[in-house]
Amino acid sequence: MNLRELAASLGLSQTTVSRALNGYPEVSTETRLRVEAAARAANYQPNSRARRLATGRAMTIGHVITHTGETEMVNPIFADFLAGAGEVYAREGYDLLLSIVHEGAAERAYRQMAANGSVDGVMVQGPRVEDPRIGLLQELGLPFLVHGRTGESGGYNWLDIANLRAFRRATEFLLDLGHRRIALINGQEAMDFAARRRRGYEEALRARGIAPDPALMSADVMTEGYGHRAAANLLDRGNAPTAFLVSSVISAIGVRQAAIERGLQLGRDISIITHDDVLSYLNNDAEGPAFTATRSSIRAAGRRCAEILIERIKHPNAPFVHELWEAELMVGRSTGPAP
Amino acid sequence: MNLRELAASLGLSQTTVSRALNGYPEVSTETRLRVEAAARAANYQPNSRARRLATGRAMTIGHVITHTGETEMVNPIFADFLAGAGEVYAREGYDLLLSIVHEGAAERAYRQMAANGSVDGVMVQGPRVEDPRIGLLQELGLPFLVHGRTGESGGYNWLDIANLRAFRRATEFLLDLGHRRIALINGQEAMDFAARRRRGYEEALRARGIAPDPALMSADVMTEGYGHRAAANLLDRGNAPTAFLVSSVISAIGVRQAAIERGLQLGRDISIITHDDVLSYLNNDAEGPAFTATRSSIRAAGRRCAEILIERIKHPNAPFVHELWEAELMVGRSTGPAP
DNA sequence: TGCAATGCCCAAAGCGCTTTCAATTCTGGT
DNA sequence: ACCAGAATTGAAAGCGCTTTGGGCATTGCA
C-alpha cells in the first residue's frame, strides 16, 4: 500500500493525505480523522526511501567505530553507548547507521557519508588528543558531536566527563590513605581521555611533593590481559606499588587477578581504584561495589549525546554546546590504608 | 555535484553517465574512461537516497538487538559480532542499520523495517527455544538469517555452533579428570544455545551413570556478578562441586573470583571450563590460555553470517543454508584432576 | 549494394514521497 | 446580495537516480 493507493481509496489527493498524516494544519479535522483511520486500517507505512529523497533528510545518524591496532579490538564500551544513544534515536524517529571500520578507513567512511547524504549527522567517539576527524567533519560541513574532546576544544559540540578531575581526586584519595607508590594503568595516551587522566594523576602527586615515576605508569589498549601483565610486572619488581589506578574495569579485573595470584588481599595489602563506565554486564555494584571507582555511566552519556546531536541537526547554527560531567567517586572494598 | 551536472559537464546524457559508472556494457570504453575520470575529479558520489528509491533496494541490513529484562543489559558479544558482519557489509557495499530496543518492542521494529523498506534483510541474534521472530519474519517476507537456531530449525537460514556437542565434550573432559560433582553455570535457558548446552551436559553425565543434580545447575543472564554469586552459593554449601562449566568468560571471571576468595587454587582445588567467544578485549589466549574453554570466534561467525545473508538477499529462492560450526576444546590452566 | 545486426547514446518515464502554487468553497461583514 | 479573506483541497513540479524504449550510425554478411 502506497500513498497514491491510499489517497485513491479515500477519494482524496495525495497532497491532502500526506498533509493529514504529517500533521499539517491546513486539513480539516474531519478528513484528518478519516485519513488516519484508513491509514491504520491499511497498515500504511510511508516508504522511507521516497520520503528521504523528497525531504532531503536522511533521518539517520552515523556512528563510525574504529577498531584499533593489531588486535582489531572493538572497544566494548561502544555497545552500551550505542544502547543509550539508540534509545533517543528511536524516540525521535532517527535510524542509526553503524560503520565499523579499521582506523585507517575512517576518513573515507566519513567522506562517503557526507557525499552520499546517507546521514544527517555523525557521532564521534574516542577522540585522540589531536584528532583529524574534527577538522575533516568541519570541512565537510556535516553536523557532529564528539563524545570526549580533543586538545583543541573550541569550535564544535562535545560532551565529556571530567577525566582530569576524576583521576586527580582518585589519586588524592589514595594519597590520603597513605599510599606513596601509586601505579597508573592507563589507556593509550594518544587518546584524549587517557592523556587527561594522566595529567590528573600527576597533578595530584606533584601537589603532595611526589615526583611522578615513569616506571609506575603504563599505557595501552585496555584489555584484561594488559591489566594483568602490567600489574604482574610491577608487583614482581622490588619496591612494588601499594596502589593501582586503572582506567577500565576490564583491565582492573586483570590487575586484581595478578594481585591475587601473588597472595595479596585487596583493600589490605594492595589498593585498586578503577574508572567504571557502568557497563551492564560488569556491574560493579552488585553486592556493594567491589572496586572503589570513579564512575560515570556510558549509557547515560550515549543518551545525552544523541539529544545534543539531534538538537544540532535541527539547528545547525546554534551556539556550540559543551557539557562536562563530573564522575563520582564510589568507595568500594578494593581500597584501604597503605600497608 | 549530482548526476545531471556531471552529465552536462561532459556533454553526455544522464543515462550514459549512469551506465558508465555502474559498469553496464553498452558504453564505449572511451566514454567510460572519460566519465570515470570526470567523476573522480569532481569527487562525484551518487546520492544514496535517490539511488535507493530508483532501484528499490535499500542496500542496508538491519540488526535488531534487544536488551533483556530488568538490567537492560546489552549482551557484549554483539559488539564483536557486529564488527565481523560489518567487515563483510562494507566490502559488499551494504550499510548496517542498528536498532537497539527493549525486548517487547522488537516486533514493531521488524514490522517497521519491512513496511518501510529501509532494509533488504535482517540478522537475528540470540534466538530463544521458541522464538516468535522467526514466524514474524517469514510472514513479512523479509530475508533473514539467524545466528543460532530455534527448536524448530527447518524453514529458514541459520548458522550455529554445535553447543550440545561442545558442552558434552567439556563435561566428558571433566569426568575423565575424575570430577563427579560438576556445576553448570548457564545462560538463561529460554535461550536456545543455553538449552542445548544443558542437554549436552546432562547427556554426558547420564552416559556415565550420574544423575544430573538440579542443585548444581543455575541459569541467568551472564554477567560477572551472576557467576560470582552462583559460584559463591555452591562453594559455601556442604558437598561443594569440584568443577564448574560456565557459559561465558565474563561469568567465568566471577566464578574464578569466588573460588579465589575461598582460598581455592584453579586447576588444583577447583576446575573451570568456560565457553569462550573470543572477545577481543577478553583474550583468553594472552600468555597461554588461562581458562580451559570451548572456543568459537563470534567475530568469525559475524563475518560468515553476513555473507550468507547477502547471498540470500541476492537469491531469495535459493535452498536454505544451515551451517553448524564445531567449537574447539582448548585446554588451559583452569582444569586439573579432581582433588 | 542491400539488409539485418550491433554498438552506442539519448529522451523520458518512473520510484513514492513532499511541497509549491493555484483553485475552490465557506465565512462574516457591509 | 457582494466581496475580501480564511479554510480546504488538488494538480503538478520536483527530489536525483535507474531503466525502458527507441534512434542513429556503423558493421557484418550475402
Side-chain angles (χ1 to χ4, degrees):
Chain A
M1 170 68 76
N2 62 25
L3 185 63
R4 196 185 41 204
E5 291 161 11
L6 181 64
S9 81
L10 281 160
L12 287 169
S13 71
Q14 292 190 42
T15 312
T16 305
V17 175
S18 169
R19 281 177 176 144
L21 293 174
N22 291 307
Y24 282 73
E26 57 272 73
V27 174
S28 73
T29 321
E30 186 200 5
T31 19
R32 161 160 296 131
L33 293 174
R34 250 181 80 216
V35 170
E36 281 169 350
R40 217 168 315 116
N43 192 24
Y44 168 73
Q45 199 73 5
N47 179 306
S48 70
R49 292 190 291 260
R51 190 207 279 262
R52 282 163 200 205
L53 178 59
T55 59
R57 276 171 287 132
M59 293 307 284
T60 301
I61 288 170
H63 284 230
V64 177
I65 290 181
T66 55
H67 33 85
T68 327
E70 335 70 51
T71 60
E72 301 264 307
M73 159 161 169
V74 178
N75 193 328
I77 73 169
F78 289 151
D80 271 71
F81 184 89
L82 286 173
E87 266 178 50
V88 175
Y89 295 157
R91 197 176 67 212
E92 301 282 329
Y94 280 82
D95 280 341
L96 163 45
L97 177 63
L98 184 62
S99 185
I100 306 187
V101 300
H102 198 79
E103 212 157 26
E107 177 173 342
R108 231 197 37 192
Y110 285 118
R111 283 192 184 281
Q112 197 157 315
M113 284 182 176
N116 232 345
S118 52
V119 302
D120 299 317
V122 299
M123 188 74 82
V124 175
Q125 293 174 77
R128 306 176 150 261
V129 178
E130 292 191 21
D131 201 307
R133 292 176 291 176
I134 312 280
L136 175 66
L137 289 167
Q138 285 170 329
E139 174 201 325
L140 292 172
L142 201 56
F144 66 98
L145 176 109
V146 180
H147 177 222
R149 59 192 145 147
T150 57
E152 183 62 52
S153 60
Y156 59 90
N157 291 290
W158 53 259
L159 181 155
D160 198 3
I161 56 175
N163 283 298
L164 189 150
R165 279 207 287 276
F167 267 47
R168 188 171 59 202
R169 175 91 193 286
T171 309
E172 284 165 357
F173 181 83
L174 290 168
L175 289 166
D176 289 343
L177 285 168
H179 295 277
R180 287 298 171 270
R181 296 190 55 72
I182 302 172
L184 175 66
I185 311 294
N186 206 358
Q188 296 178 294
E189 290 178 356
M191 305 292 279
D192 182 82
F193 80 90
R196 288 182 201 273
R197 287 180 187 176
R198 175 172 177 166
R199 291 220 302 279
Y201 159 83
E202 293 183 339
E203 276 184 17
L205 290 178
R206 291 215 179 83
R208 302 281 176 104
I210 300 178
D213 177 356
L216 289 178
M217 302 185 239
S218 62
D220 205 340
V221 180
M222 296 183 296
T223 61
E224 191 212 0
Y226 158 58
H228 185 267
R229 222 173 309 126
N233 285 342
L234 287 167
L235 291 172
D236 290 342
R237 307 179 334 169
N239 207 8
T242 62
F244 287 84
L245 199 48
V246 189
S247 256
S248 97
V249 175
I250 292 177
S251 296
I253 287 172
V255 172
R256 174 179 71 186
Q257 183 64 13
I260 287 170
E261 286 165 1
R262 284 157 184 77
L264 302 172
Q265 190 183 318
L266 255 60
R268 192 192 63 190
D269 311 313
I270 192 108
S271 289
I272 298 179
I273 299 185
T274 181
H275 181 74
D276 178 7
D277 293 299
V278 198
L279 303 184
S280 45
Y281 50 95
L282 278 176
N283 194 338
N284 184 33
D285 223 354
E287 35 260 3
F291 286 111
T292 297
T294 58
R295 197 168 77 152
S296 180
S297 161
I298 191 83
R299 190 156 181 165
R303 275 193 288 263
R304 183 70 189 124
C305 283
E307 288 173 2
I308 298 175
L309 179 52
I310 289 173
E311 208 46 50
R312 175 109 207 128
I313 288 168
K314 289 183 180 159
H315 310 289
N317 298 316
F320 293 118
V321 174
H322 298 160
E323 215 165 276
L324 189 60
W325 288 15
E326 291 302 324
E328 52 175 340
L329 181 65
M330 297 262 311
V331 179
R333 301 187 306 274
S334 67
T335 43
Chain B
M1 169 69 76
N2 62 25
L3 185 64
R4 195 184 42 203
E5 291 160 11
L6 180 63
S9 81
L10 280 161
L12 288 168
S13 73
Q14 290 190 41
T15 313
T16 304
V17 176
S18 168
R19 282 180 175 144
L21 294 173
N22 291 309
Y24 282 73
E26 56 272 75
V27 173
S28 73
T29 322
E30 187 200 5
T31 1
R32 163 159 298 132
L33 292 175
R34 250 182 78 217
V35 170
E36 282 169 351
R40 217 168 315 118
N43 193 23
Y44 168 73
Q45 197 76 2
N47 180 304
S48 70
R49 292 190 291 262
R51 190 206 279 264
R52 281 162 200 205
L53 178 58
T55 59
R57 274 171 288 131
M59 291 308 285
T60 301
I61 289 170
H63 283 230
V64 177
I65 290 181
T66 55
H67 32 85
T68 329
E70 334 69 53
T71 59
E72 302 263 308
M73 158 160 169
V74 179
N75 193 327
I77 72 168
F78 289 151
D80 271 72
F81 184 89
L82 286 173
E87 265 179 51
V88 175
Y89 295 155
R91 198 176 66 212
E92 301 283 329
Y94 280 82
D95 280 342
L96 163 45
L97 177 63
L98 184 63
S99 186
I100 305 187
V101 300
H102 199 78
E103 213 157 26
E107 177 172 341
R108 230 196 37 192
Y110 285 118
R111 283 191 183 282
Q112 198 157 314
M113 285 183 177
N116 218 341
S118 51
V119 302
D120 299 317
V122 299
M123 188 75 82
V124 174
Q125 293 174 79
R128 308 176 149 259
V129 178
E130 292 191 21
D131 200 307
R133 291 177 291 174
I134 312 279
L136 174 65
L137 289 167
Q138 285 170 329
E139 174 200 326
L140 292 172
L142 202 56
F144 66 99
L145 176 110
V146 180
H147 177 223
R149 58 192 145 146
T150 56
E152 184 62 52
S153 60
Y156 58 90
N157 291 290
W158 52 259
L159 182 155
D160 198 4
I161 55 175
N163 283 299
L164 188 149
R165 280 207 287 277
F167 267 47
R168 189 172 58 201
R169 174 94 194 285
T171 309
E172 284 164 358
F173 182 84
L174 290 169
L175 289 166
D176 289 342
L177 285 168
H179 295 277
R180 287 298 170 269
R181 297 191 55 74
I182 303 172
L184 175 67
I185 312 295
N186 206 359
Q188 297 178 294
E189 291 178 356
M191 305 293 278
D192 182 81
F193 80 90
R196 287 181 201 272
R197 287 179 186 177
R198 174 170 177 168
R199 291 221 303 279
Y201 159 83
E202 293 183 338
E203 276 183 17
L205 291 178
R206 290 215 179 84
R208 303 280 177 107
I210 300 177
D213 177 357
L216 289 178
M217 302 185 241
S218 62
D220 205 341
V221 180
M222 297 184 295
T223 61
E224 191 212 1
Y226 157 58
H228 185 266
R229 221 172 310 124
N233 285 341
L234 287 167
L235 291 171
D236 290 344
R237 307 180 332 170
N239 207 8
T242 61
F244 287 84
L245 198 48
V246 189
S247 257
S248 98
V249 175
I250 292 177
S251 297
I253 288 173
V255 172
R256 174 178 73 187
Q257 183 63 14
I260 287 170
E261 286 166 2
R262 284 157 184 78
L264 304 172
Q265 191 185 318
L266 256 59
R268 192 192 63 191
D269 311 315
I270 192 112
S271 289
I272 298 180
I273 299 185
T274 181
H275 182 75
D276 179 5
D277 293 298
V278 198
L279 302 184
S280 47
Y281 49 96
L282 279 177
N283 193 339
N284 184 34
D285 222 355
E287 38 259 0
F291 286 111
T292 297
T294 58
R295 198 169 75 151
S296 180
S297 161
I298 190 84
R299 190 154 179 168
R303 275 193 289 262
R304 183 69 189 124
C305 283
E307 288 172 1
I308 299 175
L309 178 53
I310 289 174
E311 208 46 50
R312 174 115 209 123
I313 288 168
K314 288 184 181 160
H315 309 290
N317 297 316
F320 292 119
V321 174
H322 297 158
E323 215 165 277
L324 189 60
W325 288 14
E326 291 303 323
E328 52 175 339
L329 181 65
M330 296 263 310
V331 179
R333 300 188 305 273
S334 67
T335 44

